[in-house]
Amino acid sequence: TSSPAVGVTATVADHEIRVGGPRLLEETGQDEIGVADEWRAEGAIILHVLRDGQVVGGLKLADEIRPESRNAVDALHALSVEVVMITGDAEAVANEVGRELGIDRVFAGVRPEDKSAKVSQLQEEGKRVAMVGDGVNDAPAMANASVGVAMGAASSAVALETADVALMSDDIGKVPFLIRLSRASSRIIRQNLIASLVIVGFLVPASLLGLQMGPVVFIHEGSTFLVVLNALRLLRYGNGDEHSGIAHESRPA
């Protein structure tokens, strides 16, 4: 059996074997193994193995940072986006990963049910939050965020259902592109809206002052053509593998 943020339990040869992190030790009142401080200083994740409630060993795990992660963080910073990591990992491990990747803020030791509260905390600071996740535990935080982004290839069904946007791969490097595409879309929508209002603002009084129907129709159709051409500029964001793999799904209000 498993317990979120605590560990897993199994029965082996009539012995209760439990494996878990710091909260497992807190729950059972046990102390860490002697080498734990040394492992922690190396930025490792430490799991303890208990047999019948007594510590009998430990496991040292190290996160392998994916090569594209640093590039993604740098790209987000170039877009003036603050990068925040919310994780259940121990503080020493999370801080080491955050330092290596250049992440701005790290919330470590966060239980799955508390991730949404961290999103609320950031929103109370006046920030618009895009939450990127892939699991059931991330879904409440994604729903609470301004935009929920699911890593499509590995996401659970709940995360995909909750998210506003699904990345069709587990490449975190798609997130900066998503932001660039969203900003470009908003910019072109504003441009088209302003252009349409200006043209309509000209045609209405011009027709009232006696402008022939033929020129009015020509100008109106021409403006529609220009709006379409302007919108087609978004196609350049779809060229190349770097700019592929995004699907949009609207979340019901």
Side-chain angles (χ1 to χ4, degrees):
T1 60
S2 64
S3 177
V6 178
V8 296
T9 302
T11 301
V12 180
D14 296 327
H15 293 284
E16 181 188 62
I17 306 298
R18 304 187 69 183
V19 181
R23 288 195 175 87
L24 176 60
L25 297 183
E26 295 174 6
E27 186 178 288
T28 57
Q30 295 294 301
D31 295 324
E32 294 181 323
I33 58 176
V35 75
D37 288 335
E38 179 183 337
W39 288 355
R40 189 176 296 106
E42 297 172 359
I45 298 172
I46 303 171
L47 301 178
H48 284 80
V49 181
L50 280 67
R51 183 177 62 191
D52 298 328
Q54 301 296 318
V55 174
V56 294
L59 300 172
K60 173 187 175 183
L61 306 178
D63 282 328
E64 181 179 358
I65 298 177
R66 297 171 57 173
E68 64 268 25
S69 298
R70 182 58 196 249
N71 293 335
V73 172
D74 290 342
L76 289 169
H77 284 157
L79 294 169
S80 300
V81 175
E82 181 181 356
V83 183
V84 180
M85 180 169 67
I86 304 176
T87 176
D89 288 344
E91 187 170 352
V93 177
N95 287 338
E96 176 63 22
V97 173
R99 182 196 62 77
E100 187 169 345
L101 291 179
I103 292 174
D104 300 294
R105 295 175 66 178
V106 175
F107 294 115
V110 181
R111 298 176 68 95
E113 61 269 24
D114 294 332
K115 289 184 178 181
S116 182
K118 293 301 181 183
V119 170
S120 296
Q121 177 181 333
L122 293 170
Q123 291 173 328
E124 289 169 0
E125 296 174 7
K127 304 180 186 298
R128 289 180 296 175
V129 180
M131 174 68 185
V132 181
D134 60 8
V136 175
N137 294 332
D138 298 323
M142 292 163 62
N144 191 26
S146 302
V147 178
V149 181
M151 302 300 292
S155 293
S156 67
V158 174
L160 289 171
E161 181 68 23
T162 304
D164 300 290
V165 179
L167 302 180
M168 304 311 292
S169 74
D170 59 355
D171 181 5
I172 193 68
K174 296 291 192 300
V175 175
F177 163 65
L178 172 64
I179 294 175
R180 292 196 301 271
L181 178 61
S182 299
R183 289 179 177 178
S185 299
S186 296
R187 184 168 59 251
I188 286 177
I189 289 172
R190 288 195 298 270
Q191 291 171 354
N192 286 346
L193 180 60
I194 291 172
S196 298
L197 290 175
V198 169
I199 292 171
V200 170
F202 166 75
L203 289 179
V204 170
S207 59
L208 292 177
L209 292 175
L211 185 65
Q212 296 297 319
M213 245 354 249
V216 170
V217 172
F218 177 79
I219 294 174
H220 180 269
E221 295 301 324
S223 67
T224 302
F225 180 70
L226 291 176
V227 165
V228 172
L229 283 181
N230 192 37
L232 289 176
R233 291 166 55 204
L234 287 174
L235 290 177
R236 65 181 179 175
Y237 288 88
N239 294 328
D241 182 67
E242 175 191 1
H243 296 157
S244 63
I246 291 181
H248 176 76
E249 175 181 320
S250 299
R251 185 169 61 207

